[in-house]
Amino acid sequence: MKLIICKNYDEMSAAAANIVAEAMKADPACVLGLATGSTPVGMYKKLIEMNKAGEIDFSGVTTVNLDEYYPISPENDQSYRYFMNENLFDHVNIDKTRTFVPDGQAADPAAACEAYEEIVAKVGPAAVQVLGIGQNGHIGFNEPDTALEVKTHVTGLTESTIKANARFFASEADVPTKALTMGIGTILGAKKIIILANGTAKHAAIAKMLEGKLDTSCPASMLNLHADVTVICDEAAYNG
Ligand code: PGA
């Protein structure tokens, strides 16, 4: 794994945005794998600025997001579809029909996962997959467990994740208890992966991942199987 240690959140966001921008310049019709959460918000802000300055063009880009709560409507301001519109898609020249997020209100969520896995296969491997990391080492909603799923699947959220995400909802009881998420194999299908982390709360998860072993209690450690992963973190996440 390559490691970029940044002074602060702003530097981390700029480093991540530059890698995404390079991929877009190299192939204006590229696929981007995108993530939600508070971590990538600064990166999205920088990508919006670059787009407005005419440095990068989203018109030919396709995006596939990692995950979505279940059940949730796309109009719910806590849905990841809503997040992506608010934090990126509504501010750049992207064709929204080429932006994919798992269907949080599918009548048959297992079938929706299969369909999503097919979409990811059909659009082709992401030039860059952006990831955050949970305090518990999750990537997407692949939570620590004795076994991890390979493909897009329905999953329950752990207590730790529900607590971590409760800050965005009116109360902890409002956090959906399930999600649809790309599996570890889906994520590893990207050509390049960048994983972002800031703040001391992420230190334990980052340190575990960087041990270089495969440990299902830290799903991010599975990224050690991929040949092109760049960890971009601030000093607080790296040093603890
Ligand atoms: P966060 O979430 O960016 O809001 O910390 C990251 C994650 O849970 O993957």
Side-chain angles (χ1 to χ4, degrees):
M1 285 184 176
K2 274 180 263 172
L3 182 60
I4 301 177
I5 302 169
C6 303
K7 280 206 177 56
N8 52 40
Y9 181 75
D10 196 53
E11 257 192 33
M12 180 199 77
S13 302
N18 285 338
I19 290 174
V20 173
E22 285 314 310
M24 291 172 66
K25 287 177 195 165
D27 178 8
C30 71
V31 177
L32 297 177
L34 299 179
T36 52
S38 48
T39 310
V41 170
M43 178 196 75
Y44 290 137
K45 285 208 175 95
K46 294 201 185 283
L47 291 172
I48 292 166
E49 282 166 22
M50 288 183 205
N51 183 239
K52 291 205 189 306
E55 292 165 28
I56 53 172
D57 176 13
F58 281 88
S59 64
V61 168
T62 298
T63 66
V64 285
N65 259 79
L66 281 172
D67 50 11
E68 178 61 284
Y69 287 116
Y70 188 83
I72 203 160
S73 134
E75 281 83 40
N76 184 317
D77 63 5
Q78 292 309 324
S79 76
Y80 288 167
R81 163 54 73 181
Y82 193 98
F83 174 103
M84 289 310 304
N85 289 344
E86 283 275 300
N87 286 286
L88 182 66
F89 300 152
D90 285 345
H91 310 288
V92 295
N93 66 330
I94 199 161
D95 172 357
K96 272 204 202 158
T97 64
R98 281 210 296 267
T99 65
F100 298 97
V101 180
D103 182 359
Q105 53 182 8
D108 181 344
C113 289
E114 262 182 54
Y116 198 72
E117 190 72 20
E118 276 169 28
I119 288 169
V120 173
K122 189 166 163 220
V123 300
V128 185
Q129 171 69 58
V130 178
L131 297 175
I133 185 168
Q135 292 174 33
N136 64 1
H138 75 196
I139 47 175
F141 275 127
N142 293 277
E143 300 281 36
D145 208 334
T146 49
L148 302 174
E149 298 283 341
V150 176
K151 294 186 172 175
T152 305
H153 59 284
V154 185
T155 182
L157 304 187
T158 59
E159 203 52 42
S160 145
T161 297
I162 291 172
K163 278 197 187 335
N165 291 5
R167 67 191 195 274
F168 301 114
F169 290 83
S171 77
E172 199 174 309
D174 291 323
V175 184
T177 54
K178 289 185 185 170
L180 313 185
T181 182
M182 283 186 186
I184 299 292
T186 328
I187 292 169
L188 290 174
K191 292 183 200 162
K192 179 180 192 72
I193 296 175
I194 60 176
I195 180 161
L196 280 53
N198 67 290
T200 51
K202 300 292 174 69
H203 172 67
I206 288 289
K208 187 87 190 153
M209 175 183 74
L210 289 173
E211 280 175 13
K213 296 189 177 141
L214 303 178
D215 182 341
T216 61
S217 73
C218 177
S221 72
M222 298 299 145
L223 299 177
N224 286 294
L225 289 168
H226 197 280
D228 188 354
V229 177
T230 303
V231 184
I232 310 175
C233 60
D234 71 353
E235 287 172 359
Y238 186 71
N239 296 320

